[in-house]
Amino acid sequence: MDGVPNLTQGAIAPESSFRYQFTMPHPGTYWFHPHVGTQLDRGLYGALIIDDPREPLAYDEEWVVVLDDWLDGVTATPPEVLAELSQGMGGMMMRMGNTLMGAKSDARGGDAGDVYYPHYLINGRPPADPETYTSAPGKRVRIRLINAGSDTAFRVALAGHQLTVTHTDGCPVEPLDVDSVLIGMGERYDVIVTLDDGAFAFVAEAEGKKARAFAVVRTGPGATPPSDITLPELSGRLATADKLRAKDDVTLSRRKPDRELTIRLRGNMDRYDWSLDNRTFTLDKPMKNPYPIATGEGVRINFVNTTQMWHPMHLHGHTFQHAGGGPRKGTSIVLPGRTLTVDFAADNPGRWLTHCHNLYHGEAGMMGVLAYLK
Ligand SMILES: [Cu+2]
């Protein structure tokens, strides 16, 4: 069970408890959150870091960096935002209430996000009161990036440093040296950095929203950099999932898929009618119209994005691999007008959600179920 109400278990009732007991088959950077309404955007989540008893990477220390977009109790509540979005709006580039119109993303293409957030946070802190990560020159640090946001992709960089990407969504990739990393909602990236001497800005730019989250990395004396500092790294070599290759030990065996599903991402901002294949979906009746799969199959999914916006598509119960030797992942961005093809091994019988990890898209209906045939 994975916490999805009416699909794998009942929701945990108010003032009651539920004990999950499970073994951890894979080390890596994970997180957990509820699947009930808009609770995720109220901060109900946590990081889950699984150490590897035979860790192959060499590093001195690690820093868990949780990114979030925050509005609850400041400009609105998440249910109010969902209600406002659901009314649908047409418009130009402006903020209308809590709805963001016309925010454009360079790297993603199309609309950057739907929701206006007053704050962007690193480990729960805004740029005016940043976290300081203190270390020493020459230390090799494994930074575990988690995007716990609901409607925001972040472009992450550390001033004056190169980042080496080693994992995404818990799975190892061939190391890639970059200047910045783009991380969608639900995604994780692990990067290794060798620290220089001084005080450095650590920036997570809210992609297309003209705002940022900010922290400081300090290894020596020097003035604390201002939060609005310009970072050339943010426009340098950018890591995106399509540039990564899976390590051999997580590469799926190559074979012709036994089953191929084509799932069309549908909907638009004006009508706020996000869906998979125009199927209406609610978690009250999740088994209304599932996609069938069967145990033992190699399954291929073509996520066809017919919309004007990017969507971080997530599959429960499995990790997939980008076709053609790309990264093994749990959540991947599908760009507007593009198709993302992924493969996975159907080795975990049950009923599993696949959905957009934009919380408001998911709640509007951009969800579906992959159900194993009996
Ligand atoms: Cu979406």
Side-chain angles (χ1 to χ4, degrees), residues 274 309-313 356-358 361-362 366:
W274 306 108
M309 194 175 173
W310 59 279
H311 303 279
M313 293 304 299
C356 178
H357 227 295
N358 181 309
H361 291 188
M366 206 169 214

Side-chain angles (χ1 to χ4, degrees), residues 18-315:
F18 184 87
R19 175 178 293 168
Y20 290 92
Q21 283 182 293
F22 53 106
T23 53
M24 298 292 192
H26 309 292
T29 304
Y30 295 86
W31 67 305
F32 60 98
H33 63 81
H35 240 289
V36 176
T38 52
Q39 291 177 354
L40 170 58
D41 208 13
R42 300 194 124 157
L44 196 51
Y45 58 74
L48 187 62
I49 308 303
I50 304 163
D51 289 327
D52 189 342
R54 295 184 301 276
E55 177 59 61
L57 281 181
Y59 54 93
D60 300 308
E61 43 195 58
E62 58 183 75
W63 182 28
V64 177
V65 171
V66 179
L67 308 169
D68 199 2
D69 43 18
W70 193 273
L71 57 80
D72 192 27
V74 184
T75 50
T77 66
E80 287 166 356
V81 169
L82 180 60
E84 190 178 302
L85 290 167
S86 301
Q87 292 168 11
M89 291 196 184
M92 300 149 291
M93 183 167 180
M94 57 194 299
R95 174 189 166 199
M96 305 172 73
N98 299 295
T99 305
L100 201 60
M101 304 299 303
K104 296 295 179 193
S105 161
D106 288 343
R108 305 299 81 207
D111 294 335
D114 299 343
V115 181
Y116 170 77
Y117 285 90
H119 298 298
Y120 295 94
L121 309 177
I122 288 177
N123 293 339
R125 299 173 74 148
D129 179 28
E131 170 162 329
T132 297
Y133 181 80
T134 305
S135 185
K139 290 287 187 194
R140 272 170 68 84
V141 182
R142 179 180 191 167
I143 305 177
R144 298 177 183 267
L145 299 166
I146 300 170
N147 185 349
S150 291
D151 180 69
T152 306
F154 290 95
R155 190 184 290 229
V156 181
L158 175 60
H161 290 76
Q162 173 174 281
L163 311 172
T164 303
V165 180
T166 62
H167 294 74
T168 182
D169 300 352
C171 303
V173 296
E174 294 295 337
L176 181 69
D177 294 336
V178 296
D179 301 303
S180 52
V181 174
L182 193 114
I183 178 168
M185 297 81 82
E187 287 190 291
R188 289 89 64 205
Y189 282 91
D190 291 21
V191 300
I192 297 257
V193 59
T194 303
L195 294 179
D196 210 337
D197 190 357
F200 305 97
F202 183 89
V203 169
E205 195 84 21
E207 182 75 4
K209 292 183 170 180
K210 298 185 170 63
R212 60 172 52 169
F214 175 78
V216 176
V217 172
R218 179 177 287 283
T219 61
T224 298
S227 63
D228 62 351
I229 188 172
T230 300
L231 258 61
E233 288 81 6
L234 289 170
S235 46
R237 296 166 297 168
L238 179 67
T240 49
D242 57 294
K243 293 178 184 156
L244 300 173
R245 311 288 297 173
K247 280 267 198 191
D248 286 347
D249 53 330
V250 294
T251 293
L252 294 174
S253 61
R254 288 193 185 226
R255 58 167 173 169
K256 192 172 175 297
D258 302 300
R259 185 188 296 270
E260 188 159 354
L261 301 172
T262 294
I263 298 179
R264 288 186 172 76
L265 316 183
R266 297 265 187 203
N268 79 27
M269 173 75 190
D270 296 347
R271 298 188 302 270
Y272 225 74
D273 56 351
W274 306 108
S275 79
L276 304 181
D277 290 323
N278 286 332
R279 302 171 182 208
T280 54
F281 183 91
T282 68
L283 275 174
D284 298 336
K285 289 198 174 71
M287 289 301 287
K288 199 175 147 197
N289 201 356
Y291 299 92
I293 58 175
T295 302
E297 290 179 337
V299 180
R300 168 163 287 188
I301 303 179
N302 303 300
F303 288 111
V304 181
N305 187 349
T306 72
T307 79
Q308 300 296 310
M309 194 175 173
W310 59 279
H311 303 279
M313 293 304 299
H314 175 45
L315 173 63

